[in-house]
Amino acid sequence: MTITQLQYVLAVAEHKNFTLAAEKCFVTQPTLSMQIQKIEEELDILLFDRSKKPIQLTDIGHKIVAQAKNIVNEADRIHDIVEQQKGFIGGEFRLGIIPTIMPTLLSMFFTNFIKKYPKVKLIIEELNTEEIIAKLKNGHLDAAIAATPLHEEKIKEVVLYFEPFVAYIPENHQHFEKKEIEISDLNLDEILLLQDGHCFRDGILNLCKSDRKNDVNHFQLESGSFETLIKLADEGLGITLLPYLHTLDLTEKDQRKLKHFSEPKPAREVSLIYPKSELKIQIIDALRTCIAGVVKGAIVFHDVAIVSPLQKK
């Protein structure tokens, strides 16, 4: 059997369809089917139950696919070793970034990175944490930037920075005149939250130590935009919390409505995460160094308390 044949097997296992798998592998469907049949004949087994729609792996097929992933990854690793030896930093690199980090951080490092490493083709996707984990595991992302810790066994986390939470409090609110606020000042009933699925939202719920099973329906939004939350707060519908880097681009008028927490400031841990196989590690290291360099001067807080990005059960 060959690496290419194993790649075809992995494609069918993922897409559960021979035609779609062939399209993703840029070959004809008969070619892909013939190569998979050759493996099945060589091993004297059936990898797929073709009678089911969509196509399903057989019991032995599940085991073969798990091993095939390891083999294909290790084959890719050989190319990485050669490129590292040559000092080459280039090629396609797929990076995922969660929505509450993407708008602020990307503009800070992207231009510097592509100028310094012009041979890297950086492909960036905005994805939530759950999507990122799935794509890292199935090989559709090389790395990602997300709030951590995630406690995923097969994913490595390298901390980039700690980003404090900042309260946005409109002028008509009782806490507006405070220079700093305490966590105890927060009332979950009046906090405007992002829609479900955002880890920043879960971090706020954990920060408030709420025992509620459901959020207040009045403030449940179908928007992932901090700008929307700010506008609603200005209309007197409550307050909201923002990640520190997002506050840097606010107008001078809105800056006056920001209230920092007393120390230790609640903060999220932001990390570069990637599979423990460490494929394309030379690009990962270059990305980490670039991001750490631009963020170092922007975030100067030291005494912080990390808030979990995982929602309490």
Side-chain angles (χ1 to χ4, degrees):
M1 70 187 71
T2 67
I3 297 297
T4 299
Q5 287 174 329
L6 294 178
Q7 289 172 332
Y8 293 165
V9 170
L10 294 179
V12 176
E14 178 183 351
H15 298 291
K16 298 180 173 59
N17 182 285
F18 279 84
T19 302
L20 182 55
E23 291 176 1
K24 298 297 182 180
C25 294
F26 303 103
V27 296
T28 64
Q29 189 269 328
T31 296
L32 180 138
S33 297
M34 180 180 66
Q35 293 301 320
I36 290 178
Q37 187 176 350
K38 283 185 177 181
I39 293 183
E40 291 179 320
E41 291 173 352
E42 178 182 342
L43 298 176
D44 194 24
I45 60 170
L46 286 177
L47 293 169
F48 300 99
D49 184 346
R50 295 162 173 80
S51 66
K52 295 183 178 179
K53 301 294 181 183
I55 293 169
Q56 299 295 317
L57 284 164
T58 60
D59 290 342
I60 188 64
H62 281 287
K63 296 178 181 179
I64 297 300
V65 164
Q67 186 62 31
K69 288 180 180 178
N70 294 332
I71 294 171
V72 171
N73 282 339
E74 289 304 313
D76 290 340
R77 182 69 176 141
I78 291 174
H79 293 290
D80 276 353
I81 291 171
V82 173
E83 290 178 352
Q84 289 179 52
Q85 182 66 28
K86 294 179 179 178
F88 176 74
I89 299 179
E92 185 176 286
F93 190 83
R94 298 157 299 178
L95 179 70
I97 308 178
I98 62 173
T100 57
I101 291 177
M102 178 91 140
T104 51
L105 183 63
L106 183 60
S107 62
M108 295 176 69
F109 78 83
F110 183 74
T111 301
N112 288 340
F113 183 82
I114 60 176
K115 284 183 178 179
K116 190 171 183 179
Y117 303 102
K119 294 181 179 179
V120 176
K121 181 181 179 182
L122 201 56
I123 300 173
I124 300 174
E125 290 186 72
E126 183 176 281
L127 303 163
N128 64 37
T129 303
E130 185 177 342
E131 292 170 329
I132 281 174
I133 292 172
K135 288 203 170 193
L136 284 173
K137 288 181 176 179
N138 64 28
H140 291 320
L141 285 178
D142 297 304
I145 300 172
T148 54
L150 299 176
H151 306 295
E152 289 288 334
E153 182 180 353
K154 296 182 179 181
I155 294 177
K156 188 170 183 178
E157 303 174 359
V158 177
V159 178
L160 294 171
Y161 57 91
F162 301 101
E163 183 176 26
F165 293 12
V166 182
Y168 183 88
I169 299 179
E171 296 177 359
N172 60 353
H173 194 273
Q174 60 178 330
H175 297 317
F176 177 75
E177 297 298 334
K178 288 189 173 184
K179 292 184 178 180
E180 290 185 329
I181 64 170
E182 308 286 339
I183 293 175
S184 58
D185 292 328
L186 300 179
N187 178 357
L188 186 59
D189 289 352
E190 65 175 4
I191 297 178
L192 299 164
L193 299 170
L194 293 174
Q195 68 186 63
D196 196 14
H198 288 271
C199 60
F200 190 79
R201 165 203 179 97
D202 294 339
I204 293 174
L205 294 176
N206 288 337
L207 177 66
C208 295
K209 293 183 172 60
S210 171
D211 292 326
R212 292 176 180 270
K213 294 183 179 179
N214 298 297
D215 301 327
V216 179
N217 290 334
H218 183 61
F219 294 126
Q220 187 171 346
L221 305 175
E222 294 300 323
S223 169
S225 168
F226 284 120
E227 285 71 24
T228 299
L229 300 183
I230 289 172
K231 288 179 181 178
L232 291 174
D234 284 336
E235 291 176 6
L237 295 178
I239 68 172
T240 193
L241 299 187
L242 306 172
Y244 175 74
L245 289 180
H246 189 87
T247 68
L248 301 181
D249 292 330
L250 295 181
T251 65
E252 183 177 345
K253 179 181 178 181
D254 286 341
Q255 289 273 351
R256 292 196 295 268
K257 302 171 188 175
L258 298 176
K259 305 297 175 183
H260 292 282
F261 286 87
S262 58
E263 296 183 345
K265 301 179 186 298
R268 63 175 174 178
E269 177 184 272
V270 176
S271 298
L272 186 61
I273 65 175
Y274 50 92
K276 288 186 176 179
S277 59
E278 296 190 341
L279 295 174
K280 303 185 181 180
I281 191 64
Q282 68 275 22
I283 300 179
I284 292 171
D285 287 340
L287 191 62
R288 175 185 55 79
T289 301
C290 182
I291 294 173
V294 298
V295 172
K296 185 177 180 180
I299 299 181
V300 296
F301 302 101
H302 299 291
D303 190 5
V304 297
I306 305 305
V307 178
S308 173
L310 304 175
Q311 190 167 13
K312 295 190 302 181
K313 301 296 183 183

